[in-house]
Amino acid sequence: MAMYRSEPAWQRENNSISKNIVTGDPLAAIYNEGIWRLSKVSPLYNLQYNTVKLKQYASKIRQALVSAMPANSSTKYVVQIEEQVNLKYSEEDPSALIINVLSSSQDKNNKSKVSYAAILLSWGINISVGTATHLPYMLERGEQRISTAVKSTLQTIFDCQIKQFSFTQQQLLYLGFNFVESDSSRSTDPFTLTYKTPQVDHKDKLNLSFEVGDIQIICNGVKDEVTQKSDLVTSVYQILQNQIFESSLIDITTFDLCEVSMPRAEVKNSGAVKMKTPEIVNCVFTVLNDISHDMYSERDSGNASASDS
């Protein structure tokens, strides 16, 4: 399972006291919301955090939104970009960026609403690339049309790539089993695996639930028998598959796993995540660091093989 360093920056900030006032939790910007869409981001070149530059970036995003609007649209947009110095894993990480897009109609009685929000942040991964700043993860929620304009503008400004995660079955299970280890759920809370049948309407899904306590027992029983985290995931899932077949005669190897969920955590193969506690937020990004490391390792291995041939 994923390992966590003791007392990281986000925990120290959450536990600290300044002038007898407990400071707010920087992770609340994440766990106070529902579902986020999660993307990976390559290094951002020439990102500057000063107020003037942030306003310039916001202005360019607004221009892109206006350009994409129908000519007869009455919608008005306000784009805000702010630096969040405490929303990160360690002191070495660069500050996070929070983007909010507020929209309103020209009707005087119409109030502005947040139509889109995004957070770009680092979680203990630091890649030094000249003038580039590495904020490898982007969380988004809100209108897809605005998302397209925001990401396109960011990619143009910072010469970066932004691509939404698409999790494999192994990665979904790895995240799910780490949810169990990280969350303070009751042992009777449900741990649910959601499947869809290939070439069948996606609305027709199969949900299979276990008790969190049972998953914990299985994971603890397997830990001492394996050395690789991938082997742990495979072994635990094989036990679950056997239990499902013995109890219901369902062979789930013919189904596609598309979601793993608990009351306070959820992940979908599309890259959508729900994180309702600080511990789950830390869990998700720590696992993503592992996944990203595996991706880099596979890429580097492939490059080495190509060079040898």
Side-chain angles (χ1 to χ4, degrees):
M1 294 297 176
M3 301 298 294
Y4 311 121
R5 304 176 209 168
S6 61
E7 195 70 4
W10 63 269
Q11 271 187 343
R12 289 200 302 274
E13 180 65 23
N14 194 26
N15 295 334
S16 64
I17 297 178
S18 176
K19 296 182 180 179
N20 297 321
I21 299 175
V22 179
T23 59
D25 184 355
L27 294 184
I30 297 175
Y31 64 69
N32 279 342
E33 303 298 338
I35 297 291
W36 292 92
R37 300 186 300 274
L38 182 60
S39 296
K40 49 191 171 184
V41 185
S42 66
L44 291 78
Y45 286 87
N46 299 313
L47 167 63
Q48 298 180 46
Y49 286 95
N50 65 73
T51 303
V52 173
K53 279 295 184 180
L54 294 182
K55 287 183 177 180
Q56 289 178 357
Y57 304 151
S59 177
K60 290 184 178 181
I61 291 174
R62 182 182 177 280
Q63 290 172 12
L65 289 169
V66 172
S67 299
M69 288 168 52
N72 60 349
S73 175
S74 62
T75 303
K76 296 174 62 178
Y77 290 109
V78 174
V79 181
Q80 302 169 340
I81 302 181
E82 298 178 354
E83 177 185 10
Q84 174 51 266
V85 297
N86 294 318
L87 186 49
K88 55 186 177 181
Y89 185 84
S90 68
E91 299 296 343
E92 291 74 28
D93 288 329
S95 298
L97 286 180
I98 295 181
I99 303 172
N100 284 310
V101 177
L102 289 73
S103 64
S104 63
S105 69
Q106 294 182 355
D107 184 350
K108 292 183 179 180
N109 296 323
N110 186 267
K111 295 183 179 180
S112 297
K113 64 175 183 178
V114 178
S115 297
Y116 172 87
I119 300 173
L120 290 94
L121 76 164
S122 177
W123 204 253
I125 287 185
N126 291 292
I127 295 180
S128 179
V129 187
T131 60
T133 301
H134 198 209
L135 298 172
Y137 305 122
M138 182 177 187
L139 296 169
E140 298 179 280
R141 59 182 180 85
E143 296 180 19
Q144 188 63 50
R145 179 174 55 84
I146 298 178
S147 167
T148 300
V150 170
K151 289 192 288 190
S152 176
T153 305
L154 293 177
Q155 289 178 126
T156 300
I157 295 174
F158 302 115
D159 191 22
C160 66
Q161 293 184 340
I162 303 174
K163 184 177 181 181
Q164 189 161 329
F165 274 95
S166 179
F167 295 120
T168 65
Q169 174 174 285
Q170 188 82 354
Q171 291 167 348
L172 283 175
L173 292 168
Y174 184 38
L175 279 159
F177 295 153
N178 273 279
F179 289 164
V180 172
E181 187 176 88
S182 304
D183 195 26
S184 57
S185 298
R186 294 172 298 181
S187 62
T188 55
D189 281 345
F191 175 88
T192 303
L193 303 175
T194 301
Y195 297 86
K196 60 184 179 183
T197 306
Q199 301 177 344
V200 174
D201 187 346
H202 288 184
K203 294 180 181 179
D204 187 16
K205 295 181 179 179
L206 172 67
N207 293 321
L208 298 173
S209 293
F210 303 83
E211 290 190 353
V212 166
D214 291 339
I215 302 297
Q216 290 172 330
I217 291 172
I218 295 172
C219 289
N220 291 334
V222 171
K223 275 183 180 179
D224 295 336
E225 301 176 6
V226 298
T227 56
Q228 300 292 327
K229 56 180 178 285
S230 58
D231 294 335
L232 175 63
V233 172
T234 301
S235 298
V236 172
Y237 190 49
Q238 184 62 59
I239 293 172
L240 296 180
Q241 287 177 313
N242 293 341
Q243 288 187 359
I244 292 169
F245 186 77
E246 290 173 3
S247 62
S248 59
L249 297 180
I250 297 176
D251 180 8
I252 58 172
T253 60
T254 61
F255 295 81
D256 294 331
L257 180 65
C258 61
E259 182 179 333
V260 179
S261 60
M262 291 171 56
R264 290 190 288 267
E266 179 181 314
V267 59
K268 300 180 181 181
N269 60 353
S270 63
V273 292
K274 180 177 75 173
M275 304 167 279
K276 300 303 292 182
T277 68
E279 292 76 19
I280 291 296
V281 174
N282 184 43
C283 165
V284 167
F285 288 116
T286 303
V287 171
L288 288 179
N289 286 348
D290 285 347
I291 291 173
S292 298
H293 178 268
D294 290 342
M295 289 177 176
Y296 285 126
S297 297
E298 290 174 3
R299 183 192 65 186
D300 293 342
S301 175
N303 289 341
S305 298
S307 300
D308 294 339
S309 60

